[in-house]
Amino acid sequence: MYIILVYDVGQKRVGKVCKYLRTMLHWIQNSVFEGDLTEAQLDRMRQRLCRLIDEEEDAVLIYRVSSSKWVEREAIGIEKNPRTNLL
C-alpha cells in the first residue's frame, strides 16, 4: 500500500523520528514522507514511532492509499527532494 506520512514532533525528538522514517519512506519535505509499505512494515513503523514520540505532545498522520497509481501529486514552487525511482 502507498503511505503518506506527516508529523509534528517536538524539537527534542524530531531528529530521531526523521532519521528513522528515512529508512522506511521517501523524504519529500519537512515533516512529510511517502512510499510503498507492506502491512507488516506499516505495523513495525507504527510501533517504532509510538516509542519515539510523546503521544501527549506529538502528532503523526498516516494516509493509506491502495496504490501509488491512485495518487496524483502536484508541487507548486520548489521541490525540496524531487522524487526518483531510487531509494
Side-chain angles (χ1 to χ4, degrees):
M1 84 191 76
Y2 197 73
I3 301 296
I4 300 170
L5 185 142
V6 181
Y7 66 91
D8 183 7
V9 176
Q11 188 175 0
K12 293 178 184 177
R13 294 171 297 282
V14 71
K16 288 181 182 179
V17 170
C18 184
K19 185 176 179 179
Y20 172 68
L21 289 173
R22 284 179 186 250
T23 68
M24 300 293 294
L25 298 166
H26 300 280
W27 176 73
I28 301 303
Q29 60 177 236
N30 299 348
S31 304
V32 181
F33 287 81
E34 65 182 32
D36 286 301
L37 295 177
T38 65
E39 193 68 43
Q41 289 171 321
L42 177 59
D43 288 341
R44 279 194 307 268
M45 184 180 71
R46 191 182 297 110
Q47 290 171 8
R48 177 70 188 266
L49 287 170
C50 285
R51 290 192 306 267
L52 290 173
I53 71 167
D54 180 342
E55 293 186 34
E56 300 285 323
E57 296 181 19
D58 303 330
V60 177
L61 299 176
I62 300 171
Y63 298 91
R64 302 163 142 218
V65 183
S66 58
S67 170
S68 61
K69 70 180 180 180
W70 297 106
V71 175
E72 183 176 325
R73 181 161 63 92
E74 176 182 353
I76 299 173
I78 63 168
E79 286 197 59
K80 292 191 175 195
N81 192 20
R83 184 79 193 268
T84 67
N85 291 336
L86 302 174
L87 243 180

